[in-house]
């Protein structure tokens, strides 16, 4: 049942992308997203798509896992596309019916905007597919460390993030178990009107909240028992260290962004 | 004569199909459980025990194979799955985590109410179940969350008993209980089996518990049933049991060690008492 939901959606594999320092992946994803807004013509899209395909090939993640990320935003995608299509004014009017005017510029903008959104989503899902949630929080903690100077509790935020991520599968499993236990007692979650269905959730939510509170309490005690006192002076078991391939990856990203910007200035289409 | 049984034919179960992390939890299980049996299901963590018991009342659907309950295929389109769930009661591990009502009696009534029984019948069954599990009348109207661990466990088990299932499956019902609480619950199961002729399937990895109570024992390893038979027979395979990470009850171990040292002890004793009398006989007549 609920076990089939993949949150955090890490895809385990042995690949060059998986082995990169998570900081590189976070920064690279950020650069890629920025690069999507650096061009206006077709050639830019082709370069961005080719670059992305190379990365997917390198990561050894099956393509269907990557496209799966688009499903949840399909509604937003259609909405944005429709807005762009209807609200873009231009000279080449294709259809004019009442207050609806569709222009060639509008169609072009719609296609490009939708493409941009798709690249944005699948680009970031490639990062989450190749990086474990723990690596991701490590990377964020390390990248945001300078903010400590302005009294932002970076370590604490990262710790909360990793605890929250750690608890998602536990709570999903717990929900699954409680649901099954209540199903075994003849509970019915599927029939009835909306109010009956909401009411039928009570036997799931109360045990779930009780167990979440119990787990949180246990964890707090366990952390306290190990003298956890926040980030000050705390060292890591596996500190993040840049290696040669990470530098190389940064260089690849630098080349890519230069290429995109250059293409935007030089190429006519 | 309506002969009741559960029959599994070539049942397979695979977790996480299509996620890249597939796990073959059950491999080609063929099993027949007859009416009125008291079965012990043993196996170490991850051997597929919990998956197997969830299949029995249709909470999860086998990836392949068929399951028959009283001769009817439970995967038939017309089969009433909710009816099956009322006949095959499943008590999960740590069942006290599923309590949710404001009072003990309300919580126990949840199951029978879902069966659509008249209120009087619901109350009657609930009181009976609570009495069987040894929950006193003074606790009926308190919140289940204020009870002790052992009491909560018994209330949760009462919640299933109140549905009066024909087959009762319990996943590690005594995990985390003290010896007194453990004997109480296992004694209750024995009594249920003897008095009401309920089929009981007890999942446990305590060989001592299994030895003492069950008539038939199944041992699982890596998603397969590797041993099936009377406890006395199964415990002869000490080496195999140790390889699956289970071992044999202490009393059986003592007998095996004595035999290895040259003692000619007769019979196949399983419990501590049986072993003691077997050793006594050997000392007396040899």
């Amino acid at each position: 049942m609920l076990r089939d939901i993949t949150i955090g959606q890490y895809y385990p594999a042995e690949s060059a992308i998986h082995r990169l320092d998570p900081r590189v992946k976070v920064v690279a994803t950020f650069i890629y997203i920025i690069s999507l807004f650096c061009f206006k013509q077709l050639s830019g899209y082709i370069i961005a798509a080719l670059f992305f395909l190379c990365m997917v090939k390198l990561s050894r993640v099956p393509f269907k896992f990557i496209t799966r990320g688009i499903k949840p935003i399909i509604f937003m995608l259609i909405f944005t596309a429709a807005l762009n299509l209807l609200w873009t004014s231009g000279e080449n009017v294709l259809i004019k019916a009442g207050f609806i005017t569709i222009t060639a510029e509008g169609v072009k903008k719609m296609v490009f905007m939708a493409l941009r959104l798709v690249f944005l989503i699948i680009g970031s899902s490639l990062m989450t597919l190749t990086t474990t949630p723990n690596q991701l929080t490590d990377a964020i903690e390390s990248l945001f460390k300078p903010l400590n100077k302005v009294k932002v509790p970076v370590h604490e935020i990262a710790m909360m993030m990793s605890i929250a991520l750690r608890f998602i599968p536990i709570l999903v499993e717990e929900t699954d178990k409680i649901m099954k236990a209540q199903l075994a007692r003849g509970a019915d979650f599927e029939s009835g009107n909306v109010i009956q269905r909401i009411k039928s959730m009570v036997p799931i939510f109360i045990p779930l909240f009780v167990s979440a509170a119990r787990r949180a309490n246990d964890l707090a005690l366990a952390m306290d028992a190990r003298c956890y006192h926040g980030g000050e002076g705390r060292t890591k078991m596996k500190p993040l260290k840049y290696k040669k391939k990470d530098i190389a990856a940064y260089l690849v990203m630098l080349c890519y962004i230069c290429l995109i910007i250059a293409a935007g200035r030089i190429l006519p289409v | 004569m309506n002969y009741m049984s559960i029959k599994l034919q070539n049942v397979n179960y695979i977790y996480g199909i299509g996620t890249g992390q597939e796990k073959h939890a059950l491999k080609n299980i063929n099993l027949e459980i007859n009416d009125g049996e008291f079965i012990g299901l043993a196996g170490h963590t991850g051997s597929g025990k919990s998956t197997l018991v969830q299949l029995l009342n249709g909470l999860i659907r086998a990836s392949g194979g068929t399951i028959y309950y009283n001769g009817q295929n439970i995967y038939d389109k017309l089969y009433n799955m909710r009816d099956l769930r009322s006949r095959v009661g499943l008590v999960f591990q740590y069942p006290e985590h599923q309590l949710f009502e404001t009072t003990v009696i309300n919580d126990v009534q949840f199951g029978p109410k879902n069966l659509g029984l008249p209120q009087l019948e619901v109350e009657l069954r609930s009181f009976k179940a609570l009495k069987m599990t040894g929950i006193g009348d003074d606790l009926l109207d308190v919140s289940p969350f204020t009870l002790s661990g052992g009491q909560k466990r018994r209330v949760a088990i009462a919640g299933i008993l109140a549905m009066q299932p024909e087959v009762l499956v319990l996943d590690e019902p005594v995990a985390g209980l003290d010896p007194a609480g453990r004997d109480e619950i296992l004694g209750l199961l024995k009594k249920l089996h003897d008095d009401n002729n309920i089929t009981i399937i007890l999942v446990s990895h305590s060989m001592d518990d299994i030895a003492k109570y069950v008539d038939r024992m199944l041992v699982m390893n890596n998603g397969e049933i590797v041993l099936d038979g009377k406890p006395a027979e199964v415990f002869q395979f000490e080496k195999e049991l140790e390889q699956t990470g289970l071992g044999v009850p202490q009393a059986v171990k003592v007998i095996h060690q004595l035999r290895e040292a040259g003692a000619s002890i007769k019979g196949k004793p399983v419990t501590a008492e049986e072993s003691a009398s077997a050793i006594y006989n050997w000392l007396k007549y040899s």
Side-chain angles (χ1 to χ4, degrees):
Chain A
M1 256 179 274
L2 282 171
R3 209 186 283 267
D4 301 330
I5 298 177
T6 47
I7 305 172
Q9 46 162 267
Y10 176 66
Y11 182 88
E14 273 292 313
S15 80
I17 305 273
H18 282 79
R19 279 193 296 269
L20 279 181
D21 188 296
R23 285 173 293 183
V24 179
K25 286 186 263 188
V26 172
V27 172
T29 310
F30 195 61
I31 292 176
Y32 185 72
I33 288 171
I34 292 173
S35 80
L36 293 175
F37 296 90
C38 292
F39 52 79
K40 283 199 180 93
Q41 75 285 52
L42 187 68
S43 55
Y45 287 95
I46 291 170
I47 295 172
L50 282 177
F51 178 76
F52 182 69
L53 283 177
C54 290
M55 291 301 130
V56 173
K57 196 84 197 142
L58 268 177
S59 74
R60 294 198 183 153
V61 178
F63 204 73
K64 64 170 187 201
F65 278 88
I66 290 165
T67 47
R68 208 179 264 181
I70 302 172
K71 244 188 226 162
I73 60 141
I74 210 122
F75 180 74
M76 201 178 94
L77 206 60
I78 294 170
F79 188 69
T80 328
L83 276 186
N84 274 301
L85 184 66
L86 297 175
W87 266 267
T88 309
S89 50
E91 285 152 13
N92 305 313
V93 177
L94 296 175
I95 301 166
K96 195 170 167 101
F99 63 95
I100 296 173
T101 326
I102 291 173
T103 62
E105 285 84 356
V107 173
K108 192 177 155 197
K109 204 168 176 188
M110 171 190 81
V111 172
F112 280 2
M113 206 61 207
L115 268 178
R116 234 172 228 169
L117 266 177
V118 168
F119 281 157
L120 208 143
I121 297 299
I122 58 179
S124 34
S125 64
L126 183 64
M127 174 182 73
T128 51
L129 280 166
T130 57
T131 319
T132 63
N134 276 334
Q135 286 179 319
L136 214 57
T137 40
D138 275 358
I140 286 167
E141 184 178 352
S142 161
L143 287 170
F144 284 99
K145 206 160 240 168
L147 287 181
N148 255 336
K149 295 234 165 62
V150 284
K151 299 255 157 98
V152 178
V154 176
H155 168 80
E156 281 71 15
I157 292 172
M159 179 58 99
M160 279 189 249
M161 230 176 100
S162 56
I163 290 174
L165 285 170
R166 178 71 191 80
F167 268 68
I168 289 172
I170 293 181
L171 289 180
V172 167
E173 205 172 299
E174 188 94 10
T175 315
D176 189 46
K177 236 175 71 185
I178 294 169
M179 251 175 108
K180 280 178 177 165
Q182 307 299 21
L183 276 173
R185 294 168 79 189
D188 184 2
F189 305 124
E190 271 135 24
S191 52
N193 58 33
V194 180
I195 293 177
Q196 276 165 335
R197 277 196 208 190
I198 292 172
K199 268 192 180 159
S200 76
M201 292 289 143
V202 171
I204 298 176
F205 283 127
I206 290 177
L208 189 64
F209 288 150
V210 170
S211 111
R214 190 184 56 236
R215 281 178 195 281
N217 201 18
D218 287 352
L219 182 69
L221 272 174
M223 286 169 83
D224 212 20
R226 288 164 208 189
C227 305
Y228 178 77
H229 63 281
E232 218 174 306
R234 195 176 159 83
T235 53
K236 284 209 181 298
M237 187 165 144
K238 291 179 188 160
L240 293 175
K241 263 191 202 132
Y242 283 125
K243 298 198 184 98
K244 264 187 197 149
K245 58 178 182 240
D246 299 314
I247 312 286
Y250 274 133
L251 287 176
V252 169
M253 283 321 285
L254 190 68
C255 293
Y256 164 74
I257 191 92
C258 290
L259 187 66
I260 282 275
I261 292 171
R265 305 248 159 130
I266 300 161
L267 295 173
V269 278
Chain B
M1 173 79 196
N2 197 0
Y3 190 68
M4 293 198 270
S5 69
I6 303 174
K7 196 171 166 191
L8 283 81
Q9 233 168 36
N10 301 326
V11 169
N12 279 281
Y13 192 82
I14 302 165
Y15 280 110
I17 293 177
T19 58
Q21 293 156 303
E22 289 181 11
K23 194 174 167 289
H24 208 148
L26 291 178
K27 297 170 195 157
N28 237 2
I29 301 276
N30 283 296
L31 176 68
E32 201 160 336
I33 294 162
N34 299 314
D35 190 23
E37 278 189 309
F38 196 145
I39 293 182
L41 179 58
H44 74 117
T45 324
S47 61
K49 310 176 292 224
S50 298
T51 312
L52 181 65
V53 296
Q54 285 177 39
L55 283 171
L56 295 181
N57 73 344
L59 278 177
I60 52 178
R61 201 190 160 94
S63 318
T66 345
I67 299 176
Y68 298 94
Y69 185 76
N70 290 346
Q72 281 176 299
N73 182 351
I74 69 165
Y75 296 138
D76 199 278
K77 266 197 192 116
L78 298 171
Y79 194 83
N80 186 346
M81 212 46 125
R82 289 189 71 197
D83 181 58
L84 177 71
R85 284 183 194 144
S86 74
R87 286 164 186 273
V88 181
L90 175 56
V91 179
F92 274 87
Q93 213 170 345
Y94 299 107
E96 60 271 28
H97 292 174
Q98 78 198 26
L99 299 175
F100 69 97
E101 270 286 5
T102 45
T103 65
V104 167
I105 186 71
N106 281 350
D107 207 283
V108 175
Q109 285 180 355
F110 179 69
K113 251 187 202 158
N114 285 330
L115 298 182
L117 298 166
Q119 184 58 28
L120 199 67
E121 175 76 14
V122 169
E123 279 174 21
L124 204 70
R125 283 183 173 203
S126 306
F127 285 126
K128 213 174 135 192
L130 281 167
K131 195 161 191 141
M132 269 196 275
T133 48
I135 297 291
D137 289 347
D138 52 325
L139 294 177
L140 295 188
D141 290 319
V142 304
S143 161
F145 297 106
T146 61
L147 301 178
S148 75
Q151 285 171 326
K152 278 187 200 166
R153 177 86 47 102
R154 277 183 281 159
V155 169
I157 293 176
I160 300 286
L161 288 180
M163 295 169 77
Q164 299 190 345
E166 293 160 358
V167 178
L168 185 60
V169 187
L170 301 104
D171 194 352
E172 299 276 6
V174 292
L177 289 186
D178 55 28
R182 167 148 87 227
D183 288 344
E184 222 170 300
I185 285 183
L186 292 174
L188 163 75
L189 296 181
K190 181 89 186 145
K191 197 167 164 336
L192 272 172
H193 173 255
D194 295 346
D195 296 354
N196 305 19
N197 199 32
I198 297 182
T199 310
I200 295 185
I201 301 171
L202 173 69
V203 178
S204 174
H205 50 229
S206 157
M207 292 310 217
D208 290 275
D209 290 344
I210 287 184
K212 206 163 158 190
Y213 293 99
V214 309
D215 322 318
R216 180 181 166 195
M217 187 175 163
L218 303 169
V219 179
M220 292 193 71
N221 191 30
N222 270 331
E224 285 172 289
I225 294 178
V226 286
L227 291 169
D228 180 355
K230 286 198 160 53
E233 289 159 9
V234 170
F235 291 140
Q236 300 306 311
F237 299 91
E238 190 177 347
K239 273 221 180 73
E240 287 82 351
L241 284 171
E242 252 153 32
Q243 272 163 9
T244 62
L246 287 169
V248 296
Q250 290 301 325
V252 176
K253 205 166 193 161
V254 169
I255 297 285
H256 285 185
Q257 278 169 356
L258 280 172
R259 277 192 188 140
E260 255 169 56
S264 58
I265 298 170
K266 290 188 185 74
K268 289 172 182 170
V270 169
T271 62
E273 290 79 15
E274 286 166 15
S275 297
S277 70
I279 294 171
Y280 174 79
N281 283 336
W282 165 62
L283 288 173
K284 202 173 170 188
Y285 300 111
S286 66

